[in-house]
Amino acid sequence: MKNTNVRVSLPAVCFVWQIAMIVLFGVFVRYDKESDAHWVELKKTENLTDLDNEFYFRYPSFQDVHVMIFVGFGFLMTFLKRYSFSAVGFNFLIAAFGLQWALLMQGWFHHFDYSTGKIYIGIESMINADFCCAGSLIAYGAILGKVSPVQLMVVTLFGVTLFAVEEFIILDLFHCRDAGGAMVIHCFGGYYGLAISWVLYRPNLHRSKRLNGSVYQSDLFAMIGTLFLWMFWPSFNSAIANHGEGQHRTAMNTYIALASSVLTTVAISSMSKKGGKLDMVHIQNATLAGGVAMGTAAELMITPYGSLIVGFCIGIISTFGYLYITPFLEERFKLQDTCGIHNLHAVPGMLGGFTGAIVAATASESVYSKEGLIATFDFTGKFENRSPGTQGGFQAAGVCVAMAFGLVGGAIVGFILKFPIWGDAADDNCFDDEAYWEVRRTPNKMRKKNTYILPKCFLSPSVGFDPCLKA
């Protein structure tokens, strides 16, 4: 029997790592020029106004992304009948830690000033930190219910670190376009979580089968997460896109693809069940696949009908994944994927990356204009002579890098988590909040004591009340 007592390990990790964040922020992190008090002087010298401050342009998108991270992802994982506290609470914990670590890791790679030895952060840093957290939250979906909060902190520590490195390779060295993170977020996060889950395979997980499922209320709560994610996904994909037409086009393409994926998801779900009934698992998850698949191509001139085609196809692929691929992977490859992130993030992210590569490779001046082509792909500086065909090749290579980092990094982290020191639950105690939470239940005696008999005049037989109701 495993010991799930984390009274020492969890507080120790939280205190030590938070103190480390304070020290590292004190040494390295400073406000950027648009959030520093010297902005008043800068406005005068460069003839700017407050409306030129990036905060006023990016903050609405940041709000939407922040809601997705803390509400959308958290509630989407509340479908398990006895694991809602852990779904929302641990999502809250690792996102709060992850965004701090992400500001440092991404700062060292993208915003480090070698002349001062400082990292300068602003509103766009906050958005990118949330994006960085999303990779670890996606990975959490694969191991939901099977790991301790201490293990999740380790997953986030390494997940954010790996994310920052693969993001630097893909976006800076390869100069890929991936505004919505189909490659760097979804593809990486999906395969990272799957690799961890594969290494942590539990042969006797069937002992917790009674809890590895949903009830009516838990599915309804999970649907709240779905709707928040679905509504705000255009903001997620367009949050750091180019000002003007780039951001406008990204939001529009994502909006269209999401709508298309809903219809095909409903169609396949209905076709797969006797009597044409719908499966809530499909509606909660596969309807979001259109947003994932458009993460790379949404910024490009894929056309509105192209977005509809992507959403149409990925809705079918994702739903088929839940119907057939997830059971196949568990039976043949011993891969236990609690939330089905393979079908919502890994495969749609991979296919979205390759879709972006095709659209980039076929770009032309007749479609984009010369200036539009330069602006969209940032063909400036050392990349000014890069052709669309070459760009497409690098986009495809970026997908492979994301998969490699996810699979190899996840396998390594999985082996670290196998050490019997983390306080994870036994096979017969998974998917249960009571392993790590104080769950307050009303005793039977208390329920009886506080139950009142209503007078007969308040009981209406027309709505099915029993006039002989007793306490």
Side-chain angles (χ1 to χ4, degrees):
M1 184 69 178
K2 291 188 175 182
N3 183 6
T4 58
N5 189 335
V6 291
R7 189 177 184 181
V8 174
S9 58
L10 183 58
V13 166
C14 290
F15 274 121
V16 171
W17 289 8
Q18 187 57 61
I19 291 170
M21 292 298 106
I22 293 171
V23 173
L24 290 171
F25 268 64
V27 173
F28 290 105
V29 180
R30 299 293 182 270
Y31 300 120
D32 70 3
K33 64 181 182 180
E34 294 186 348
S35 53
D36 191 89
H38 291 85
W39 167 252
V40 178
E41 298 174 355
L42 186 65
K43 284 193 300 181
K44 293 179 180 179
T45 57
E46 297 190 12
N47 195 27
L48 301 173
T49 69
D50 282 332
L51 293 179
D52 294 309
N53 194 305
E54 193 78 359
F55 176 85
Y56 296 100
F57 182 77
R58 299 289 185 190
Y59 190 73
S61 296
F62 166 73
Q63 286 180 303
D64 294 350
V65 172
H66 217 47
V67 169
M68 290 179 69
I69 295 298
F70 286 92
V71 179
F73 278 101
F75 274 87
L76 182 62
M77 294 187 283
T78 59
F79 67 95
L80 291 174
K81 63 183 74 173
R82 292 267 295 272
Y83 209 68
S84 296
F85 284 12
S86 300
V88 176
F90 294 158
N91 183 90
F92 190 14
L93 171 67
I94 63 178
F97 164 66
L99 68 87
Q100 298 175 69
W101 184 228
L103 286 170
L104 286 165
M105 286 301 304
Q106 291 181 311
W108 285 322
F109 279 101
H110 299 286
H111 309 293
F112 190 74
D113 188 333
Y114 288 94
S115 63
T116 62
K118 305 299 180 185
I119 297 167
Y120 295 94
I121 63 171
I123 184 63
E124 195 164 330
S125 306
M126 294 161 63
I127 296 173
N128 281 314
D130 275 7
F131 282 171
C132 194
C133 291
S136 297
L137 299 181
I138 290 167
Y140 179 28
I143 53 180
L144 183 72
K146 300 174 290 184
V147 293
S148 72
V150 181
Q151 286 176 307
L152 285 174
M153 292 289 279
V154 175
V155 168
T156 307
L157 178 71
F158 285 100
V160 168
T161 305
L162 289 166
F163 181 98
V165 177
E166 59 104 17
E167 181 190 45
F168 177 75
I169 294 171
I170 294 171
L171 301 186
D172 287 46
L173 300 185
F174 287 7
H175 198 63
C176 295
R177 310 304 292 169
D178 192 30
M183 294 184 284
V184 298
I185 299 173
H186 301 286
C187 184
F188 163 76
Y191 286 108
Y192 177 61
L194 292 171
I196 294 173
S197 185
W198 179 72
V199 174
L200 296 180
Y201 173 70
R202 290 172 175 262
N204 297 313
L205 192 61
H206 61 274
R207 294 176 182 173
S208 294
K209 187 177 180 180
R210 70 194 186 282
L211 299 177
N212 188 11
S214 63
V215 292
Y216 190 87
Q217 291 84 355
S218 66
D219 268 333
L220 184 60
F221 272 103
M223 195 63 195
I224 293 172
T226 297
L227 292 175
F228 269 101
L229 291 169
W230 196 91
M231 290 188 298
F232 289 140
W233 217 295
S235 294
F236 188 93
N237 282 358
S238 65
I240 58 171
N242 290 338
H243 288 209
E245 47 80 30
Q247 191 171 44
H248 191 171
R249 184 170 59 248
T250 304
M252 188 183 301
N253 285 333
T254 307
Y255 171 84
I256 293 169
L258 281 165
S260 181
S261 65
V262 172
L263 272 70
T264 50
T265 296
V266 170
I268 300 300
S269 182
S270 178
M271 289 171 59
S272 67
K273 299 294 180 180
K274 188 175 181 180
K277 295 183 178 181
L278 300 173
D279 190 329
M280 201 57 161
V281 172
H282 306 154
I283 309 305
Q284 289 164 355
N285 295 280
T287 54
L288 301 171
V292 176
M294 288 302 297
T296 300
E299 193 178 10
L300 312 179
M301 292 285 285
I302 192 172
T303 72
Y305 75 86
S307 300
L308 284 175
I309 293 172
V310 170
F312 181 95
C313 295
I314 207 64
I316 296 172
I317 293 169
S318 181
T319 310
F320 269 115
Y322 282 99
L323 286 168
Y324 304 111
I325 304 301
T326 296
F328 174 81
L329 291 176
E330 182 167 356
E331 181 181 349
R332 295 294 180 89
F333 294 95
K334 311 301 180 185
L335 179 57
Q336 297 160 331
D337 180 7
T338 307
C339 290
I341 66 168
H342 177 267
N343 314 306
L344 175 55
H345 296 284
V347 170
M350 175 189 67
L351 295 178
F354 284 127
T355 299
I358 294 170
V359 176
T362 56
S364 63
E365 289 188 13
S366 62
V367 174
Y368 288 79
S369 80
K370 183 176 181 179
E371 292 299 321
L373 201 64
I374 294 171
T376 301
F377 295 100
D378 193 23
F379 287 156
T380 58
K382 62 181 180 180
F383 302 104
E384 63 180 349
N385 295 320
R386 177 178 284 188
S387 68
T390 303
Q391 180 68 30
F394 276 101
Q395 295 279 153
V399 180
C400 299
V401 170
M403 291 178 65
F405 266 80
L407 291 170
V408 177
I412 294 171
V413 173
F415 282 112
I416 293 172
L417 298 181
K418 284 181 74 72
F419 290 107
I421 59 174
W422 306 110
D424 53 314
D427 289 342
D428 58 354
N429 200 30
C430 292
F431 313 115
D432 193 346
D433 277 332
E434 290 196 29
Y436 303 105
W437 294 87
E438 188 70 33
V439 180
R440 297 177 179 86
R441 302 185 185 280
T442 306
N444 289 333
K445 290 183 179 179
M446 186 67 71
R447 282 204 299 267
K448 289 182 178 180
K449 182 178 179 181
N450 292 331
T451 302
Y452 298 94
I453 301 176
L454 293 174
K456 289 185 179 180
C457 60
F458 287 99
L459 300 174
S460 172
S462 65
V463 292
F465 287 111
D466 185 356
C468 300
L469 182 68
K470 297 180 181 179

